[in-house]
Every structure is written in C-alpha cells, then in structure tokens.
Amino acid sequence: MIAALSFYLFATVTLLAGLMVILSRNPVHSVLFLILAFFSAAALFVLLGAEFLAMVLIIVYVGAVAVLFLFVVMMLDIDYVQLREGFAQYMPIGGIIGLMLLAELIMVATARMVDPPIGLGSGPAIPDADAVTNTEALGRLLYTDYIYAFQTAGLVLLVAMIGAIVLTHRKRPGVKRQVIADQISRTAKDAIEVVKVKSGEGI
Amino acid sequence: MEQSYPNLIPALPELWLALGALVLLMLGVFRTNHVRRTVNNAAALMLAVAFFLVFAVGPTHQVTFSGLFVSDGFTLFMKALVLLGSGAVLVMSKPYLVDKDIFRFEYPVLVVTATLGMLMMVSANDMLSLYLGLELQSLSLYVLAAFNRDRQRSTEAGLKYFVLGALSSGMLLYGISLIYGFSGTTNFTILAGLYSGGATPSVGVLVGLVFVLAGLAFKISAAPFHMWTPDVYEGAPTPVTAFFAAAPKIAAMALVVRLLMGTFQGLVADWQQLVVFLSIASMVVGAFLALVQTNIKRLMAYSSIGHVGFALVGLAAGTTEGVTSLLVYMAIYLSMTLGAFACILSMRHKEGMCEDISDLAGLAKNQPRMAAALAIFMFSLAGIPLLAGFFGKLLVFLAAISAGLYTLALIGVLASVVGAFYYLRIVKIMYFDEPADAFEAPESRSIGLVMGVTAALNSPLSFFLISPLVAWAGAAAGALVL
C-alpha cells in the first residue's frame, strides 16, 4: 500500500518535473526541474530495490551533469528568439517526419503485443536478488561479462579526448607561462644587484 | 560463483593495437622533439605485426568475451585487407603531411585507433560490439578528416562527416533497439539461430533491420546515403581520403555481410530487394555523377560509390558464391584504390600538391612510369579485360546471374560501360593532351613502392593470382555462411 502510494507520488512528480523542463521559459529553472526529475527517478529506483543505481543517478547526474548544465546555461548567452526563427520554415517537413516515425512506432508497438520476442533470456542470467547485492551484480556485468564493451567505450572516450586536443589546442606565442624549473634555478646573482650609492648623488 | 576469465587469444591483434596506440601516444606526448617520424614508422610497424598476429590467430572459429567477439576465416580475410589498407596509407602519408605542415604525431595514433575500431567491427558478434567498434572507427575518422584544421575545406569536411555520421549512428541505434526489442537478444549467433529455420520474423525486426542497413549503407557510402562522400573526400587531406576509400569501406562491408549473410541469412527474401536497390542506385550514381567532375579526389569519391554498388551485386545474390565474389571484389578494389591514391599523392608541383584532372595532361611525356601505373589503375577500375578489375566485375555478375538476378547484372554491365568513359578520359588526358607543368620528382620511396606493387597486382599478371584469391575468399565465405 505504502509502496504503491509512494510509486504514484514519485512517478507523478517525475512526469510533472519533466514537463516543466520543456515548458519553463527560464533555462535555469529548466535545469532545476531536471534535477527534481532526477531525484524522483532515483526514488523510483529505490522502490524497485536498485539502490546502487539510485545513488549513482544522484551522484553522477545531479552532482556532475546537472551542475555542468547549469554552468553552460549561465555562461552561454543563447538568444532563444533567434533559435526559434527558422521554426515555422522547418515545421512542415519536421512534422511529416515526426508523423511517419509515430506511425512506425504505433505499428511496431501493436505488432509487439501479438508477437512477443522469441529470444528473451538469452543474455547473461539475472542473479537472485537475495544472494547477490546490486553493486556486485552490476560489477559482474560491467567488468566480467561485458569487459570488452566497457574497455572499448574507454577507448572511444580516449579518442574523443585526443580529437578535441588535436583540433583545438594551439601553442600561442607570447603567453607568459610559469616555468618552475626556471624559478628554482634562479640565484641571488640573477635577481639582485648591489649598488653602492654615494650620498647626495643618487643612482 | 566461479571466476572465469575470457579467452584473450582470438583478440590478440586488437589487444596489440590498443596497447600500441597508448604507447605511441605516450611517446608522442612526452618526447615532443623530432618524434613524429618515429611514431609514424612505429605505427606502420605495429600494423605489420598485427597483420602477422591475425594470421597467428588463424581461421578456426572462436568466440570469446561472453559472445561479443568472434574470430574465424571470414574475419581473417577481412582483417588482413583492412591492415594492408591502413598500413599502405600510413607509409604514403608523410610527404603530403609535411608539405601541408600538418605532420603531427597524433596522425599515426588516430590511424591506429581507427584501424583498431575496424578490426573490432570485423570481429563483432553482437550489436553492442558492432556499435562500439563502429564508433571507435568513426570518431577517429572525423578527427582525421578535419586534421588540416587551419584550412576551411578540411574543417568543413570533418564537421559534415561528423554531423551526418551522428545521424547515421542514430538510425543504426534505432534499428538495433527495435531488433533487440522484438527478438530479445543482440547476439548474432542467437539471432541467426532464431531466424534460420524459416520462422516468420515480426514486423519490428524487419523495420529494425532496414534501419540498421540504412546506417551501415551510410558507412559504406552506398547511394542514396552517399551525399557526404564527395565533399568529405575532396575536403579531407589526401592521405586521409586514401584511408577513407580503402580501409573503412572494407570493415563496414564486412559488417554488412556478417549481418545479412551470417546473422539474418534466414531473411534473404526480405533484405534482398533492399540490397538490389542500394546496389543499382550506387552503380548509377557512381557512373553518371562522376562524368562531370574535374577534381580527381571527387572523381575517386564517385568511383568508390560505384564500386560499392558493384560489390553489393555479389551480396544481393544471397549465396556463398555471391559472398565469395564480394570478398574478391573488395580485395581487388583495395589494390586499385591504393594504387590510384599513390599516384594522386605524387601529383605535386613546385607550388604544392594539386588535384585537378587537367594537371595530369601529358603526364606520359613527363613521367612515363607514373603515367603507365595510373593507366593500369584506370583500366582496372574501368574493368577492362585481363586486368584485375575485370575479374572482380566478372565474378559478381556471374554470381548475380546464377542467382537469377538478370536485370541487376544487366544494369551493372551498362553502368560499368558508362563508368569506363571517365576512367578512359584520364588515360586520354595523360597520353594525348598537350603536356602541362611537370610534377616534382617524388621524394619518398614508399609511395613509389606502393604504386609499383599495386600496379603489378592489377596488371595482367593478376591472372595468376586470381585463382588463389578466389579459393581463399571462398574459404572465408564458407566460414561465414553456415
């Protein structure tokens, strides 16, 4: 009873927050609503017994991604009027494509009801929830069963990083950089000059 | 639960390249002075070692990494071709990059990561590893296309490729999600088992297959998904264009073949018409749009679109014979393309590299050897009898005819007649037009070496090589089609 009630509560909040993300005029408010949606989705995960995913959702999405979003929204001066300018022009073709995709989705969804998937359960076996903790089950999947995919994803990220550096990093001449070796190897001789000043004459 | 470690032996070439790319990167970052040549040579050497590792792993059928990775006779054949393509491009790249002042150590590193992605694509036995390999390859290629970042054309090429590539990845993923949703698995072996017995697939799987095929058709630049090819080929630095035309096409073709013939062979009746359409569209686009090109890189782009169309004729047959002919075609295409690009990379005036077809005028008088080599490649690309390209075309058309696809074979022959016009026009310009300015003598021996070897492979000597190649390709195709 309580579980059902809290499910409906959190599900409603998630949906409303999601709606507000796209409806609110102020982009900062949108990001804040997005955070609310993440929190209530995390609560839904807890209800499902996936406490590790819930924590990861909060730590990664709220702690890192949403904050990054906030920074971007605040730092970039996006002119939303300009963004919407071509909207009417692209509306007809965009609408047609959207309708086609919708029709396909409906067709596909109805086909699924009469024709359920025939190869279900052929992946790695789902472990017993009482015997293995959430974290361990996920770890086994990521680092044992799918280690190949996990490592490849790491390589993809590495290539993305190399690419960003190759395409944007420039050596600018005339920039004053801190060279610690130079600083340490300085001696009093290089830096200080002792001048005898005769009284009344100046330098 | 007992710990089980994956069997790493089948993935030796991939592991070697992955570790090697990291070492090269460290070498380049921490020893900045005069290290570019070392990194480039080391990368070429690494690809050569990977080539031998591929053969050391051998053609036995092995599946590892929880069914994500497969190694068999088919992957052996395709990986050998991919590594040959990448290695040849790497040894030819240096003069051009030095000329444009963009010879940096990241170039060989990115070529190695792209090659690694291609090997992973070839060895994919699951939608998951298919997608990851594809992205690793594509991401490296986007960066390589924009490698000449101070030139607008190059950055435009990179951006265009990136945006359209992301779109095609989206289509691919949408299709994969549909296939997963309706079959309940992403593993190729299990999928093959599900649909081999003539079971009628649900609509969702078919729609998904269409989307996946559209995404992959973009990667092999088959019409009508070819729009990006001419612009990207023209804008990217020439060695990168050579790379695009050679290795990634073979890897993506390997994916298409494994997916259609290895996994969804039971659905031949459903996908055959799609492949026939892609094939006809590519052959026609490649033949007619190339007629009006003046830039030789753009011409090669349309030529590669056309050749993908010819190769797909073999796939459309849907038989082991068809796959064999496709594999032979891709091998011959690789040698023709590498040779043609070796010639394009030698087109250098005093002021710098040039890429107009009119610059080739009278080449026969200035540089008879290069002109002879380029003439061989052009005759071979056109499919003139006794040269290697002829045997490739002959085999795919024979496969189509024995599968009853007479119209397709007829359109293919007509398209190759139209295509012959622009290949022969280049030969005419080289041999019969008033000489233009002479090209500078090539300073790198490796380009001449690649040119010479590929010219020998394409010359009538290929008559002796064709039957062992067909036998090998037949074994590879036999390993795929169970």
Side-chain angles (χ1 to χ4, degrees), chain B residues 95-360:
Chain B
Y96 181 93
L97 297 177
V98 170
D99 188 68
K100 297 274 178 194
D101 199 23
I102 48 170
F103 188 42
R104 300 198 279 154
F105 76 87
E106 286 97 341
Y107 178 81
V109 174
L110 285 170
V111 170
V112 170
T113 53
T115 312
L116 172 64
M118 289 171 216
L119 297 193
M120 288 175 161
M121 284 159 74
V122 172
S123 269
N125 195 39
D126 193 296
M127 294 290 185
L128 197 61
S129 38
L130 174 157
Y131 181 68
L132 284 168
L134 193 70
E135 280 306 299
L136 183 60
Q137 175 242 31
S138 304
L139 208 57
S140 312
L141 294 184
Y142 301 148
V143 181
L144 283 175
F147 204 74
N148 195 354
R149 63 184 190 187
D150 295 320
R151 205 166 144 256
Q152 200 189 345
R153 296 287 271 288
S154 177
T155 47
E156 186 197 319
L159 193 64
K160 200 171 250 177
Y161 193 25
F162 175 66
V163 172
L164 291 176
L167 185 73
S168 82
S169 291
M171 285 200 282
L172 186 77
L173 282 178
Y174 187 53
I176 290 176
S177 70
L178 283 177
I179 291 178
Y180 177 53
F182 280 88
S183 65
T185 178
T186 53
N187 190 285
F188 288 173
T189 319
I190 301 172
L191 278 172
L194 286 180
Y195 295 110
S196 64
T200 35
S202 53
V203 185
V205 172
L206 288 182
V207 174
L209 187 60
V210 172
F211 272 98
V212 170
L213 204 56
L216 290 177
F218 176 92
K219 301 291 178 195
I220 54 173
S221 70
F225 304 99
H226 66 284
M227 301 300 182
W228 58 277
T229 323
D231 292 341
V232 172
Y233 275 36
E234 189 189 356
T238 313
V240 177
T241 311
F243 189 46
F244 280 2
K249 282 236 161 112
I250 289 168
M253 201 53 121
L255 267 188
V256 174
V257 173
R258 177 171 293 282
L259 204 64
L260 293 184
M261 286 304 289
T263 309
F264 290 109
Q265 204 204 352
L267 309 181
V268 169
D270 295 297
W271 55 254
Q272 195 174 33
Q273 47 187 337
L274 292 175
V275 177
V276 168
F277 171 72
L278 285 176
S279 166
I280 291 179
S282 310
M283 288 188 296
V284 170
V285 164
F288 282 97
L289 292 186
L291 291 177
V292 290
Q293 304 305 325
T294 54
N295 181 302
I296 194 154
K297 278 157 81 181
R298 264 187 110 77
L299 181 94
M300 287 307 290
Y302 283 108
S303 156
S304 82
I305 294 171
H307 283 287
V308 164
F310 289 120
L312 285 177
V313 171
L315 180 62
T319 54
T320 315
E321 187 197 352
V323 175
T324 311
S325 69
L326 181 141
L327 297 182
V328 173
Y329 199 94
M330 288 320 280
I332 294 171
Y333 167 79
L334 181 72
S335 74
M336 296 188 292
T337 308
L338 285 177
F341 272 100
C343 294
I344 296 173
L345 281 166
S346 313
M347 289 168 61
R348 205 162 78 90
H349 283 314
K350 274 202 192 77
E351 308 88 72
M353 307 294 299
C354 50
E355 47 198 50
D356 272 347
I357 293 176
S358 56
D359 288 320
L360 286 168

Side-chain angles (χ1 to χ4, degrees), chain A residues 108 112 115 119 140 145 166 169, chain B residues 66 104 149 181-183 202:
Chain A
V108 153
R112 174 150 170 143
D115 197 4
R140 265 189 202 154
D145 292 334
V166 166
H169 178 75
Chain B
S66 330
R104 300 198 279 154
R149 63 184 190 187
F182 280 88
S183 65
S202 53

Side-chain angles (χ1 to χ4, degrees), chain A residues 114-136:
Chain A
V114 288
D115 197 4
I118 47 179
L120 265 188
S122 45
I126 299 168
D128 184 15
D130 296 326
V132 193
T133 64
N134 253 288
T135 323
E136 195 185 337

Side-chain angles (χ1 to χ4, degrees), chain A residues 17-47:
Chain A
L19 212 58
M20 287 308 288
V21 172
I22 52 171
L23 287 183
S24 64
R25 292 198 156 262
N26 188 332
V28 177
H29 292 174
S30 287
V31 177
L32 292 176
F33 274 114
L34 188 65
I35 294 177
L36 179 60
F38 284 149
F39 264 111
S40 22
L44 290 177
F45 272 131
V46 172
L47 285 179

